[in-house]
Amino acid sequence: MAYDQPALDLRRRQGVSPDLIPGMRPAQRAAWNETPHFLGWPAQFQRVHATMTEASTRLVRGLEALLDEPESSAQDLLGLTGMHHLGVELVARVSHHHAYEDSTVLPRILAQCPDLSEGVALLENDHEVLDASLQRARQSFEALDPTESRKTAIDQALQEARTLRRILFRHTYDEEDLLIPAVLARALHL
């Protein structure tokens, strides 16, 4: 599969192509919680994703606010400390979550739903893109040092945070659309 096509490339795609879900379309999200099996793994999966995407939004907003603060002001120093911790923690949590998906969730889905192999391959490719973004983001968030407040470091961290947020939103939404309907329709236990 050529992942550089706009429909597949995580950095450019607008959504997952229905062609990647042979024989079924993603269920309407509003109807998911009406399914008896939703309250197990699918609901937890969505909560974890929501926590990560919300944290990425808080990080972007916090860094944007820091750019408006005078260097070395109390708000700047406190904000840098907070954004440093939030950014590093976000990277750690996202890295841990995606390692769990790679080692447990995706192999189990493949074992029980071999017809989703192209979709799972797409998600695995997304994880490679995400890993590269996480590495760059970690470096820029670690460079946010309150003892050496620099607007260029904040701006760099902001650019990485925006990229990470965009990737997280697109990937988690697509991941849910590919995996949750399969789990619900087939009453899978992950």
Side-chain angles (χ1 to χ4, degrees):
M1 186 178 301
Y3 292 105
D4 58 348
Q5 298 172 23
L8 302 176
D9 187 318
L10 177 61
R11 293 159 291 197
R12 298 187 293 161
R13 75 173 178 248
Q14 299 300 307
V16 166
S17 166
D19 298 338
L20 290 177
I21 309 167
M24 70 182 210
R25 299 254 187 226
Q28 294 297 320
R29 285 173 171 260
W32 287 355
N33 64 356
E34 297 170 11
T35 307
H37 300 296
F38 179 75
L39 293 178
W41 179 85
Q44 177 62 19
F45 194 59
Q46 272 196 313
R47 277 192 296 275
V48 169
H49 284 175
T51 299
M52 292 185 306
T53 55
E54 289 166 7
S56 71
T57 297
R58 282 194 315 276
L59 182 62
V60 166
R61 289 182 182 152
L63 290 167
E64 288 171 342
L66 276 178
L67 284 176
D68 293 334
E69 291 295 326
E71 250 180 58
S72 299
S73 69
Q75 290 86 350
D76 180 53
L77 297 176
L78 289 171
L80 274 172
T81 300
M83 293 303 98
H84 167 84
H85 289 298
L86 178 58
V88 169
E89 179 67 20
L90 175 62
V91 167
R93 287 184 184 244
V94 171
S95 297
H96 176 76
H97 175 71
H98 286 282
Y100 163 72
E101 288 176 347
D102 287 337
S103 67
T104 305
V105 174
L106 297 179
R108 285 183 182 170
I109 288 284
L110 271 179
Q112 298 179 59
C113 308
D115 57 311
L116 294 180
S117 62
E118 285 186 40
V120 170
L122 177 75
L123 297 177
E124 290 171 338
N125 189 70
D126 285 2
H127 285 187
E128 290 180 27
V129 173
L130 180 60
D131 286 343
S133 178
L134 287 168
Q135 185 175 359
R136 289 187 308 273
R138 177 182 290 116
Q139 291 170 345
S140 67
F141 301 152
E142 287 174 348
L144 294 174
D145 183 352
T147 61
E148 297 182 22
S149 174
R150 299 291 174 262
K151 295 299 182 186
T152 55
I154 296 169
D155 188 54
Q156 178 63 37
L158 176 58
Q159 298 314 312
E160 294 299 335
R162 285 177 176 154
T163 298
L164 182 58
R165 179 180 63 178
R166 188 175 69 251
I167 288 172
L168 280 175
F169 270 87
R170 179 75 274 147
H171 172 69
T172 58
Y173 193 90
D174 291 346
E175 192 168 58
E176 291 167 9
D177 273 353
L178 284 163
L179 302 182
I180 290 176
V183 168
L184 296 177
R186 301 167 196 195
L188 301 180
H189 296 283
L190 300 176

